[in-house]
Amino acid sequence: MQKKIKLVRLSPIGEMKTKSPIEPQSVWSEEELLDGKRVSCLTVILSTPGCSWWKQSGGCNMCGYNQKASDRSITGEDILAQFDKAWKSYDNHSIIKVYTSGSFTDVNEIPIAIRKEILKRVKDSGARMLFESRPEHITQESMQECVGICPDLQVALGLESANDRILEKSIHKGFTYDDYERAAKAVLAAGATVRTYLLLKPPFLTEEEGINDALDSISKAAKYSRVITVNPVNVQRRTTVEKMWKAWAYRPPWLWSVAEVLRRADKGDSLLLSSLVGAGSDRGPHNCGSCDADVVAAIDGFNLTQDRKRLDKCDCGCKDKWKEALSAEKFAIAPGDHDRFFSRGQPAR
Ligand SMILES: [Zn+2]
């Protein structure tokens, strides 16, 4: 059995517990690049009545956020109370990121009056506001209204992949690339900027297909995005991806694949980042266990400098194993966790 290092970064998934309706789900500070400078950023995750797409359809195959960060009884006042509590952690941060388990501009999740109040508070602090929404909750009017209150606004769109087949069959995303494009144009027309989230290695793709899909998606999203964040899939509880993972039919991406995507991406003028959740663990992006911390540090270094040379510094014997996986998977009947299968690891718990 390979020895696994402990989680190199605390997973927001792991932190999620059922909380009082007036407690934010999670609040933390981190560093990010803003206009070429390292700045501090406050991230707030609010509990809401839940993502409308999840309620309607069961949600996306990899997303477990609604299991904990939603509660149908939560009211607008509760959400504002959560934000007030989170705001106690504000300490001259330059960026404030506000997430829900769905969409900040979905009126079934956050009433318009509460949305306006949160935007106003962030505007008064002088920080840049970032929130995430699915395209169907973005209109010219809603964007103009948001920018009117908080002009320094970045809207995150979880595109995941620019390939409609992958969006439909692998992710169950419920929208198409054209929907993303329309929303991105509405955000830009209102004077805000776009941050695009992409997934690395959605289910049913081989490692190599995952890399190629991320590269293709980055080049398409670069046209609209000030920031592109590549999120390697992590195995969240009670999701389709978890079922596959337990059946050895899914392996989260190698950290080598993350580095490969960052190294080769045609990102245009966009800032390219990768957000690693659960890195180094079986459920998150991982390598062999002994080089994971070094590769994560290299990716973090790239995130804060955009210097691709940082990614070239790491090496490990498992890189050959990763390369073998890239070529061997082409001949497999289905993608799976061949790494775990051939090392005779224990079935996942
Ligand atoms: Zn290694």
Side-chain angles (χ1 to χ4, degrees):
M1 274 282 285
Q2 289 167 344
K3 191 171 162 291
K4 291 283 177 190
I5 55 167
K6 68 176 174 27
L7 277 186
V8 289
R9 175 165 304 151
L10 202 59
S11 148
I13 315 306
E15 286 169 15
M16 285 187 177
K17 294 185 185 77
T18 306
K19 291 192 171 171
S20 143
I22 56 166
E23 283 288 327
Q25 189 55 240
S26 214
V27 185
W28 73 88
S29 286
E30 61 194 352
E31 276 193 311
E32 201 174 289
L33 271 189
L34 175 66
D35 304 328
K37 285 191 208 118
R38 278 185 193 206
V39 298
S40 64
C41 158
L42 183 70
T43 300
V44 179
I45 301 183
L46 300 171
S47 295
T48 68
C51 172
S52 293
W53 171 242
W54 169 71
K55 285 188 202 165
Q56 181 191 329
S57 72
C60 301
N61 284 338
M62 69 293 168
C63 178
Y65 288 112
N66 281 280
Q67 307 294 348
K68 289 290 180 192
S70 70
D71 172 348
R72 287 171 199 236
S73 68
I74 289 175
T75 64
E77 286 68 37
D78 292 338
I79 294 170
L80 196 56
Q82 290 176 40
F83 185 78
D84 282 341
K85 289 206 173 179
W87 200 242
K88 290 188 180 135
S89 303
Y90 172 73
D91 183 17
N92 288 311
H93 293 84
S94 301
I95 306 176
I96 312 294
K97 299 180 182 174
V98 180
Y99 298 103
T100 69
S101 55
S103 299
F104 186 78
T105 49
D106 177 354
V107 293
N108 293 311
E109 264 198 88
I110 302 188
I112 293 176
I114 306 300
R115 179 212 295 172
K116 285 183 176 173
E117 186 59 33
I118 293 174
L119 285 165
K120 188 174 169 305
R121 292 200 195 173
V122 176
K123 190 255 168 193
D124 289 345
S125 75
R128 168 170 298 173
M129 168 82 177
L130 178 140
F131 65 68
E132 182 176 16
S133 279
R134 289 173 58 90
E136 63 263 35
H137 304 295
I138 289 181
T139 61
Q140 295 268 7
E141 297 70 37
S142 67
M143 286 303 103
Q144 278 162 4
E145 186 192 278
C146 291
V147 172
I149 300 168
C150 183
D152 193 357
L153 176 67
Q154 188 160 83
V155 177
L157 299 169
L159 172 63
E160 321 300 7
S161 167
N163 179 318
D164 283 343
R165 257 175 80 82
I166 293 174
L167 285 173
E168 183 192 345
K169 306 286 184 193
S170 293
I171 303 175
H172 192 232
K173 192 74 195 179
F175 65 74
T176 63
Y177 178 74
D178 284 351
D179 295 326
Y180 158 83
E181 218 172 27
R182 182 205 56 77
K185 285 178 182 167
V187 171
L188 295 175
T193 57
V194 172
R195 175 177 299 225
T196 301
Y197 290 129
L198 297 172
L199 214 54
L200 175 60
K201 201 179 174 189
F204 311 109
L205 266 61
T206 64
E207 193 82 14
E208 190 170 48
E209 286 167 342
I211 293 171
N212 290 335
D213 177 58
L215 289 171
D216 182 52
S217 301
I218 290 168
S219 56
K220 288 191 174 127
K223 191 173 162 193
Y224 300 104
S225 310
R226 176 74 62 89
V227 181
I228 298 173
T229 303
V230 177
N231 296 314
V233 167
N234 60 89
V235 180
Q236 301 181 5
R237 294 190 191 279
R238 285 182 274 171
T239 58
T240 300
V241 166
E242 189 189 49
K243 280 185 201 152
M244 292 173 66
W245 176 73
K246 284 186 171 173
W248 297 23
Y250 182 78
R251 185 203 191 278
W254 290 73
L255 289 163
W256 295 127
S257 300
V258 182
E260 182 76 1
V261 166
L262 298 177
R263 194 185 288 116
R264 284 171 48 198
D266 173 16
K267 68 186 184 71
D269 295 329
S270 314
L271 182 67
L272 181 63
L273 308 173
S274 182
S275 173
L276 304 174
V277 172
S281 75
D282 283 348
R283 282 180 178 263
H286 62 273
N287 282 352
C288 68
S290 54
C291 64
D292 296 45
D294 289 346
V295 183
V296 169
I299 293 167
D300 280 346
F302 171 82
N303 284 342
L304 289 171
T305 60
Q306 300 288 287
D307 179 4
R308 286 175 163 156
K309 286 194 222 74
R310 300 249 179 165
L311 302 165
D312 297 332
K313 289 184 181 159
C314 307
D315 206 0
C316 180
C318 73
K319 204 166 185 176
D320 286 338
K321 209 170 155 190
W322 166 71
K323 285 181 186 161
E324 272 171 34
L326 292 183
S327 57
E329 272 189 332
K330 286 185 197 125
F331 304 106
I333 294 165
D337 192 345
H338 304 126
D339 178 30
R340 192 146 45 105
F341 180 77
F342 287 113
S343 66
R344 295 290 187 270
Q346 295 299 310
R349 287 166 305 278

